[in-house]
Amino acid sequence: MNEMVNVKEYLISLGYSNESIEKILGNNSLTNFKEDTLLIHIKNNYNFFITFGYNHKDILKMTKTLPTLYGYSIENIKQKIEDLISLGYSKSDVIKMTKLLPALYSLSIENIKQKIEDLISLGYSKSDVIKMTKTLPALYSLSIENIKQKIDDLISLGYSCEDVIKMTKTLPTLFGLSIENIKQKIEDLISLGYSKNDVIKMTKTLPTLFGLSIE
């Protein structure tokens, strides 16, 4: 029985589907490993994540999204965790954020620090950025151009730049909503009898209205 069969058997024992196993073993960054080395990597990394505080389902979900997690050295994973903690996140923050955005492990700390600086240049404080990315770690995967565009789009709807900064600090997920979705929510609120000015004023104070379903 060769080692690749053992790799497949191990992944099956962890609960991966055949489709997920094919995706993991077919990942470009993993195909370069010798079969026995890959098996050791997968076992060691899985055990490290369990020990660090992720549960079994978390690891399966993360590695289905980012199979390269099984190719990283434990030293590199530990370094990324230490780097994130040094920026102001707690261990539990790192677990929560990487569950939402496994690709955070693939971003360089220089890239992350640059995004923090870019957001500070737009009017946020470092503490604002840390707090926002705890809720929406995907901010780190957005280009600064896309972020600026979303701010400009919101301003075009009737908000000031200061309004947008305040609203996104309260509801970071605004950056994850399409402008079409936001416009539709404004229309939905107007259909309830509010004027557009009323809606703009309401959502300045309570941006979480954009996260509610209008029935």
Side-chain angles (χ1 to χ4, degrees):
M1 186 178 291
N2 63 42
E3 290 295 344
M4 184 52 75
V5 172
N6 284 337
V7 171
K8 290 180 180 177
E9 287 182 343
Y10 181 67
L11 291 172
I12 288 170
S13 75
L14 291 179
Y16 291 97
S17 66
N18 286 329
E19 183 182 354
S20 295
I21 291 171
E22 287 180 12
K23 181 180 177 184
I24 291 170
L25 298 183
N27 183 271
N28 288 336
S29 66
L30 301 183
T31 54
N32 294 325
F33 283 96
K34 290 184 178 180
E35 295 165 358
D36 56 343
T37 305
L38 179 59
L39 181 60
I40 292 169
H41 255 274
I42 292 173
K43 286 182 175 180
N44 288 347
N45 289 16
Y46 175 86
N47 290 331
F48 170 78
F49 285 125
I50 286 289
T51 303
F52 185 67
Y54 297 95
N55 66 37
H56 176 72
K57 288 183 179 179
D58 295 334
I59 300 170
L60 262 61
K61 186 175 181 182
M62 290 165 62
T63 51
K64 286 176 185 177
T65 302
L66 188 71
T68 51
L69 275 174
Y70 280 139
Y72 297 153
S73 70
I74 288 176
E75 290 72 23
N76 285 346
I77 294 170
K78 285 180 177 178
Q79 186 61 57
K80 180 57 62 62
I81 290 168
E82 289 174 9
D83 288 340
L84 288 168
I85 288 173
S86 74
L87 292 177
Y89 299 103
S90 67
K91 175 183 172 180
S92 61
D93 291 333
V94 173
I95 290 174
K96 180 183 175 184
M97 292 165 66
T98 50
K99 281 163 59 176
L100 291 170
L101 186 72
L104 203 52
Y105 276 117
S106 69
L107 297 178
S108 70
I109 192 63
E110 290 76 23
N111 183 299
I112 292 169
K113 286 180 177 178
Q114 184 59 56
K115 187 58 59 64
I116 291 173
E117 290 302 317
D118 289 340
L119 287 165
I120 288 172
S121 74
L122 295 179
Y124 300 96
S125 68
K126 182 181 177 182
S127 61
D128 291 334
V129 177
I130 298 300
K131 185 176 179 181
M132 291 163 65
T133 49
K134 287 179 185 180
T135 302
L136 189 72
L139 264 177
Y140 283 129
S141 66
L142 297 177
S143 70
I144 195 64
E145 290 75 20
N146 284 345
I147 292 170
K148 286 178 178 178
Q149 185 60 57
K150 180 57 64 62
I151 291 173
D152 287 342
D153 288 341
L154 287 166
I155 289 172
S156 73
L157 295 177
Y159 301 99
S160 68
C161 183
E162 291 73 20
D163 292 333
V164 176
I165 297 295
K166 183 178 177 182
M167 290 163 65
T168 50
K169 281 162 59 175
T170 301
L171 187 72
T173 50
L174 262 179
F175 280 119
L177 297 177
S178 69
I179 194 64
E180 291 75 19
N181 185 298
I182 293 170
K183 286 178 179 178
Q184 185 58 58
K185 189 58 61 67
I186 290 173
E187 290 300 320
D188 290 342
L189 288 167
I190 290 172
S191 73
L192 296 178
Y194 299 101
S195 68
K196 183 178 179 182
N197 285 340
D198 288 337
V199 174
I200 297 298
K201 186 176 180 180
M202 288 161 57
T203 50
K204 284 181 188 179
T205 306
L206 197 64
T208 48
L209 282 171
F210 284 119
L212 299 178
S213 174
I214 305 295
E215 297 294 341

